[in-house]
């Protein structure tokens, strides 16, 4: 960290695969970790590991980094597949390029060694609360295609109020069956959303993610901690895939992990 | 409830003659069943709660409370639905020890979805309503751990006189008519325990010494018809009780769950064992016995003494001649050994076991830990036996096994699959006291089951030496243990990994164990301290990671809040609340005596609490869960959609 010469000046894309981090000690997670802290820890762990053995000279020219925690990589055994329920939450920052969803889902499928997942939940961070349903449609079309390809069995969204949810529900050909809400509001759900959900068999599930799960400052500081001040500049999340695998009728979380795609805003770099 | 065989009960003498027969064949039955089921894999978690209720008459005009002796007729009506629709009944009812008690469980076990936790309270409410419908206008079902005036004059309705010289209990205080009248098992146990022991049971509970309490405290028992034998068994400064009814006539809250295979069962048995004393302290709800305020907060030692069938020889008071073993505990008490390889190093109590039966088990290819556990349980005599059940086909029947298994009443029970049934290996968590309201009972039950999911998900290890668990038990009885005492608990319960099938112990040497645990307050255990999240911290993390609907989340968070506040002392245990009620009552004379009028006022309040008609902010948070009788339709719809799609993928040969 004392170095001021950037370690990877040409790096434009980092993909982090955390592997299975459900077991507490694997990440030296503090038990009270927030999702943000958890994601940053994944990034740190991967970067640190990679940088340990990387060739410093080569790094100067590296444009893409695939960082994975090989020791935690766990493909799901075929004979267990029937008992498992896999949910992937895709947090899409890069909504101008919704086709990255394909990557987000494929990488999760690959990581787990499966050909389909039961549910994908789409979250588009909306810090200014100014997104409309139109902002969801392009992504939703990508997801619908993946459903047609039988890579996904069911779809859901995160943090849509009744109005937007109903609009999406009405327009979509593959209808969302889940709306995720922040658990802070679980006891005080708006009546209109509850009613709509009841009428249409929509599952209202809870999540614990803040509106912006990987704020720029925190992301960049995380990268800096593993490298240099300049190395952290201009990074932003493109998408985050959080996958979780539950043993269906035993309520045990078998696997939980992240695939995190980070890009450097190249336009601003110079 | 135990083994409810119908038939002709043998006398004690005849039962005793068959003891070796029962034991030997019981072990054989276990060996057969063990081999049949040891590779059984059950994909699903199934679990259920058991709540015991007392039927109480609240006589408002006279400010008196009585225990109503009508379990037989009430049960008959309660069981009607189950008999008519064996596959479709919302609740299941069973008799219990006393004629004023009924036991209810959910009609169908709960499963492994988070949404199932949202059904528990609603089903408990339903059960309570079912009983209430069958009672008279001035009678109520109370989930009360101990009736404060049990054994006092005319404590039952109809009023009955105890029969110290004859009958089953020979009690100065507890009439035989208060024992369950519908089933021979209960009075048979009562009589046989007394005859085996050679005298009636003696229960001594330290009295709560208040300002005006007689010091030394010693009742003149001749006023109850004592011929001197009771007086000599009664200890000074103790409340003396003398019947099985005082213990087994107390109610409790139990949880049973099915493990996915035998190894998981053994692991969970071990992991929950250290929690027993702690949950006992946290659920404390019975400080008053026979109209006296005692110095204990819960029922455990009362029940332990109430069914203690050990002879003087077994107690170590006389030389061993007729009996084989010196036995350290009553047959109702905490467990004596761990069952899993992980727990092996922590078995530091001298286990008394039957060597011949142990050898039979080993010859039958049962491993050492399980063989020791079983041969330890089987040092006991059968204390009830029905003539129709003496000769059995060991490969097919399990009554002899169940006979001994079900009369070892321990903090945990490890249950093999019953013969000819789809049910798997199960673990029963037995120490908790029942609470007044369904909200609270649902909270405690949810906590335990959630904890098992958390233990399995994050591979926690809570095991400490079993001798320390026993020390914790003694601590747990104490008045206000939750607030004032410390319990041994594992310092760091996160492990690097678990042996995948629990088949070996990953400790290199069984040393440095003392460094693994320390004394902690209940607050620290549940709510954490410093970097440690405490049990509730880990559970809260789990529920954010597992799929959970909004109502279940709302409900479960409230349950965890209740547990958290009870653990920190912000809310009183039921026991403390009852104590405070008594000591601040205008009729209380600071002499440890709890009069009829005080009991009436107390139980009237308990009834209101159980019906959610009274808020008691020092005892519980407003019980506003979102519990419902069924899981949301949306969940079934979602599962169906997913399953249909999966099937079509398979059909397309994907």
């Amino acid at each position: 960290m004392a170095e001021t010469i950037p370690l990877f000046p040409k790096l434009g894309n980092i993909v982090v695969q955390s592997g299975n981090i459900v077991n507490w000690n694997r990440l030296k997670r503090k038990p009270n970790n927030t999702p943000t802290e958890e994601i940053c820890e994944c990034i740190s762990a991967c970067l640190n590991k990679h940088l340990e053995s990387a060739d410093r000279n080569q790094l100067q020219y590296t444009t893409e980094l695939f960082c994975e925690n090989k020791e935690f990589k766990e493909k799901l055994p075929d004979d267990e597949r029937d008992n498992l329920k896999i949910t992937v939450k895709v947090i899409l920052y890069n909504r101008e390029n919704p086709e990255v969803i394909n990557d987000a889902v494929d990488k999760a499928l690959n990581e787990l060694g499966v050909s389909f997942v039961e549910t994908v939940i789409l979250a588009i961070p909306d810090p200014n609360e100014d997104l409309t349903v139109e902002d969801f449609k392009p992504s939703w079309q990508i997801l619908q295609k993946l459903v047609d390809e039988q890579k996904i069995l069911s779809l859901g969204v995160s943090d849509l109020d009744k109005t937007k949810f109903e609009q999406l529900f009405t327009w979509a050909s593959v209808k969302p069956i889940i709306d995720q809400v922040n658990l802070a509001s679980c006891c005080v759900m708006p009546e209109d959303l509850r009613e709509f959900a009841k009428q249409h068999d929509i599952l209202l599930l809870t999540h614990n993610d803040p509106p912006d799960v990987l704020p720029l400052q925190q992301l960049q500081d995380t990268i800096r901690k593993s490298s240099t001040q300049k190395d952290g500049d201009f990074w932003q999340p493109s998408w985050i895939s959080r996958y979780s695998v539950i043993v269906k009728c035993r309520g045990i979380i078998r696997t939980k992990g992240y695939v995190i795609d980070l890009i450097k805003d190249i336009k601003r770099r110079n | 409830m135990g083994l409810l065989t119908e038939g002709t009960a043998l006398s004690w003498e005849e039962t005793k003659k068959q003891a070796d027969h029962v034991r030997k064949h019981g072990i054989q039955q276990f060996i057969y069943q063990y081999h049949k089921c040891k590779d059984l894999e059950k994909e699903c978690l199934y679990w259920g709660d058991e709540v015991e209720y007392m039927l109480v008459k609240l006589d408002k005009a006279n400010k008196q409370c009585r225990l109503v002796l009508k379990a037989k007729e009430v049960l008959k009506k309660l069981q009607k639905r189950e008999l008519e629709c064996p596959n479709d009944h919302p609740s299941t009812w069973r008799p219990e020890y006393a004629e004023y008690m009924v036991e209810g469980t959910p009609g169908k076990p709960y499963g492994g979805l988070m949404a199932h936790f949202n059904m528990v309270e609603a089903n408990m409410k339903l059960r309570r309503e079912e009983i209430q419908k069958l009672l008279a206008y001035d009678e109520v079902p109370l989930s009360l751990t101990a009736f404060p005036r049990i054994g006092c004059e005319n404590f039952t309705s109809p009023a009955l006189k105890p029969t110290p010289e004859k009958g089953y209990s020979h009690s100065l205080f507890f009439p035989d008519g208060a024992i369950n009248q519908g089933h021979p098992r209960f009075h048979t146990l009562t009589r046989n325990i007394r005859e085996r022991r050679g005298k009636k049971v003696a229960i001594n509970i330290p009295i709560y010494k208040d300002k005006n309490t007689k010091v030394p405290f010693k009742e003149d028992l001749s006023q109850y018809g004592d011929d001197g034998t009771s007086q000599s068994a009664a200890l000074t400064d103790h409340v003396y009780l003398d019947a099985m009814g005082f213990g087994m006539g107390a109610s409790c809250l139990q949880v049973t769950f099915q493990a996915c295979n035998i190894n998981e069962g053994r692991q969970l048995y071990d992991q929950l064992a250290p929690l027993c004393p702690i949950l006992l302290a946290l659920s404390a709800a019975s400080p008053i016995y026979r109209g006296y305020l005692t110095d204990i907060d819960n029922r455990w030692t009362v029940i332990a003494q109430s069914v203690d069938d050990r002879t003087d020889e077994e107690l170590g008071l006389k030389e061993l001649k007729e009996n084989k073993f010196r036995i350290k505990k009553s047959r109702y008490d905490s467990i004596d050994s761990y069952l899993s390889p992980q727990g092996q190093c922590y078995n530091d109590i001298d286990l008394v076991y039957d060597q011949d039966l142990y050898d039979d088990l080993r010859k039958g290819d049962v491993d050492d830990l399980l063989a020791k556990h079983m041969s330890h349980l089987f040092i006991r005599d059968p204390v009830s036996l029905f003539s129709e059940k003496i000769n059995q086909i060991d490969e097919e029947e399990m009554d002899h096994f169940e006979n001994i298994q079900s009369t070892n009443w321990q903090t945990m029970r490890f249950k093999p699959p019953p013969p000819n049934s789809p049910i798997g290996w199960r673990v029963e968590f037995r120490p908790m006291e029942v609470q007044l309201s369904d909200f609270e009972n649902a909270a405690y039950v949810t906590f335990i089951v959630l904890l098992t999911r958390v233990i399995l998900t994050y591979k926690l290890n809570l095991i400490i030496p079993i001798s320390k668990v026993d020390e914790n038990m003694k601590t747990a009885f104490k008045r206000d243990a939750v607030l004032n005492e410390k319990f041994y608990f594992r310092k760091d319960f996160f492990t690097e990994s678990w042996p995948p099938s629990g088949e070996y112990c990953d400790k290199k040497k069984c040393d440095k164990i003392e460094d693994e645990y320390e004394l902690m307050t209940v607050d620290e255990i549940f709510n954490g301290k410093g970097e440690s999240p405490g049990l509730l911290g880990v559970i809260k993390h789990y529920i954010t990671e597992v799929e959970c609907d909004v109502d279940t989340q709302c409900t479960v968070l409230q349950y965890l809040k209740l547990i958290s506040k009870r653990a920190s002392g912000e809310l009183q245990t039921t026991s403390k609340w009852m104590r405070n009620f008594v000591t601040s009552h205008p009729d209380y004379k600071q002499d440890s005596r709890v009069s009829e009028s005080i009991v009436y006022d107390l139980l009237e309040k308990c009834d209101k609490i159980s019906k959610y008609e009274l808020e008691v902010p020092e005892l519980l948070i407003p019980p506003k869960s979102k519990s419902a009788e069924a899981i949301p339709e949306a969940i079934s719809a979602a599962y169906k959609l997913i399953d249909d799609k999966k099937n079509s993928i398979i059909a397309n040969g994907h």
Side-chain angles (χ1 to χ4, degrees), chain B residues 62-65 149 581 585-589 594-603:
Chain B
N62 298 309
K63 280 196 110 184
Q64 286 172 344
C65 297
R149 283 185 67 77
F581 185 89
H585 195 281
D587 293 354
Y588 178 64
K589 298 185 168 52
V594 188
S595 67
E596 291 229 58
S597 62
I598 301 177
V599 171
Y600 177 82
D601 286 340
L602 175 64
L603 294 191

Side-chain angles (χ1 to χ4, degrees), chain B residues 270 337-347 369 463-464 505:
Chain B
D270 285 3
S337 66
Y338 289 115
L339 293 181
S340 74
Q342 249 178 331
Q344 196 158 12
C345 292
Y346 301 83
N347 283 338
L369 277 175
I463 299 179
I464 58 173
C505 173

Side-chain angles (χ1 to χ4, degrees), chain A residues 22-25 29-33 38 81-85 87 115-116 118-119 147 149-150 153-154 177 181 183 186-189 194 201-206 208 244 246 248-253 256, chain B residues 43-45 112-113 260 264 453 456-459 494-497 531 533 538 541-542 544-551 553-554 557-558 626 633-635 637-639 641-643 645-646 648-649 652 654:
Chain A
V22 76
N23 197 339
W24 224 275
N25 283 347
R29 308 194 294 174
K30 290 203 286 326
N32 302 321
N33 263 358
E38 194 171 75
R81 184 63 184 93
D82 238 1
N83 298 331
L84 304 175
K85 189 167 185 292
T87 303
S115 58
F116 68 91
E118 275 75 0
T119 307
V147 171
E149 291 170 13
Q150 295 184 321
L153 301 187
S154 67
I177 61 167
V181 298
L183 65 83
C186 64
C187 290
V188 287
M189 291 296 304
R194 280 186 82 100
D201 276 346
I202 308 296
L203 264 177
L204 295 176
L205 300 180
T206 57
N208 196 26
S244 91
I246 300 186
K248 252 189 320 197
C249 53
R250 287 174 60 211
I252 296 172
I253 308 171
K256 176 188 172 180
Chain B
E43 301 144 10
C44 290
L45 167 69
L113 298 178
C260 73
E264 185 181 88
R453 305 302 94 197
L456 293 172
T457 292
Y458 301 122
K459 305 191 180 6
F494 297 107
T495 59
E496 277 298 321
S497 64
E531 287 254 315
V538 197
H541 195 99
Y542 167 84
T544 65
E545 296 194 321
V546 79
E547 185 175 282
C548 190
D549 65 277
V550 290
D551 285 348
Q553 183 86 220
C554 180
L557 285 175
Q558 289 189 49
K626 297 259 162 78
E633 281 291 329
I635 292 185
Y639 269 86
L641 175 89
I642 289 173
D643 280 339
K645 288 230 165 141
K646 255 200 208 167
S648 83
I649 291 183
N652 296 338
H654 205 87

Side-chain angles (χ1 to χ4, degrees), chain A residues 20-29 71-72 74, chain B residues 342 457-461 490 492-500 506 508:
Chain A
N20 184 3
I21 55 162
V22 76
N23 197 339
W24 224 275
N25 283 347
R26 287 187 165 184
L27 251 198
K28 298 191 190 349
R29 308 194 294 174
E71 53 180 353
F72 298 157
E74 279 175 25
Chain B
Q342 249 178 331
T457 292
Y458 301 122
K459 305 191 180 6
L460 306 185
N461 185 4
R490 193 149 185 130
D492 176 17
F493 47 72
F494 297 107
T495 59
E496 277 298 321
S497 64
W498 254 18
D506 61 350
K508 300 210 177 17

Side-chain angles (χ1 to χ4, degrees), chain B residues 120-121 124 253 437-447 559:
Chain B
V120 180
E121 189 182 339
M124 287 178 174
L253 177 66
S437 72
D438 298 320
F439 178 83
E440 297 163 275
N441 287 326
Y444 280 82
V445 159
T446 297
F447 170 81
Y559 292 163

Side-chain angles (χ1 to χ4, degrees), chain B residues 113-373:
Chain B
L113 298 178
M114 276 301 289
H116 288 128
F117 290 113
N118 204 37
M119 293 169 71
V120 180
E121 189 182 339
N123 187 276
M124 287 178 174
K125 266 201 193 132
L126 191 71
R127 284 179 247 164
R128 203 179 284 269
E129 283 160 17
E130 280 182 44
I131 310 174
Q132 183 68 78
K133 271 193 227 145
L134 300 171
L135 298 178
Y137 75 96
D138 59 351
E139 295 170 348
V140 294
L142 286 182
S143 49
L144 192 63
T145 297
F147 184 74
R149 283 185 67 77
I150 188 173
C152 295
E153 202 179 349
N154 295 335
F155 77 99
T156 60
S157 164
L160 295 176
K161 286 238 160 316
T163 54
E165 302 110 50
K166 58 185 169 115
Y168 302 106
S169 313
H170 287 202
S171 167
L172 299 176
F173 318 104
F174 196 92
D176 280 347
I179 306 176
N180 181 291
Q181 298 295 306
H183 227 283
R185 166 184 165 87
F186 303 102
H187 57 70
T188 305
L189 284 172
T190 311
R191 180 203 66 205
N192 288 350
I193 286 175
R194 179 174 49 75
E195 291 191 9
R196 181 183 196 279
R197 197 183 145 79
K199 48 192 157 165
K200 62 179 174 174
V201 292
I203 306 165
N204 281 289
I205 315 172
I207 192 160
Y208 172 67
K209 286 196 177 146
D210 207 342
K211 234 168 67 186
N212 299 331
T213 311
K214 238 171 148 236
V215 165
F217 177 83
K218 198 151 177 125
E219 268 183 300
D220 175 13
L221 298 173
S222 63
Q223 63 181 303
Y224 304 113
D226 177 37
D227 60 359
T229 39
S230 300
Q231 201 71 57
S232 54
L235 297 177
T236 313
D237 290 339
H238 285 69
V239 178
Y240 168 76
L241 310 170
D242 65 353
M244 182 170 170
F246 286 104
M248 287 303 193
S251 300
C252 63
L253 177 66
Q254 295 175 343
V255 191
T256 303
F257 48 90
Q258 177 180 275
C260 73
N261 57 39
I262 187 176
N263 286 328
E264 185 181 88
R266 293 167 75 159
Q267 266 165 354
L268 288 176
Y269 178 95
D270 285 3
Q271 291 299 331
L272 290 181
L275 264 322
C276 292
I278 302 179
L279 264 305
L280 183 58
L282 194 69
S283 62
S286 52
I288 310 167
Y289 292 88
R290 200 159 62 75
Y292 288 105
L293 207 48
T294 68
D295 219 19
I296 58 170
D297 259 2
N298 59 62
R299 80 204 185 283
W300 196 266
T301 168
V302 176
I303 315 191
Q305 294 172 72
S306 79
V307 294
D308 193 352
D309 67 342
R310 289 176 293 168
T311 62
D312 283 343
E313 291 178 21
E314 290 167 333
L315 286 165
L317 302 171
K318 281 191 193 156
E319 244 188 78
L320 281 175
K321 280 203 217 128
E322 303 274 322
N323 299 122
K324 267 175 96 174
F325 308 104
R326 282 257 195 286
I327 308 178
K328 298 216 182 81
K329 287 181 181 166
S330 156
R331 59 199 299 160
Y332 184 105
D333 214 325
S334 48
I335 62 163
D336 290 308
S337 66
Y338 289 115
L339 293 181
S340 74
Q342 249 178 331
Q344 196 158 12
C345 292
Y346 301 83
N347 283 338
D348 61 346
I349 298 182
D350 266 324
L351 208 59
V352 178
Y353 61 94
D354 186 311
Q355 186 68 48
D356 296 326
L357 295 177
Y358 174 82
D359 291 338
D360 284 348
L361 286 156
R362 296 296 278 136
K363 266 192 237 125
D365 219 5
V366 175
D367 63 89
D368 169 68
L369 277 175
L370 197 51
K372 284 219 177 83
H373 168 79

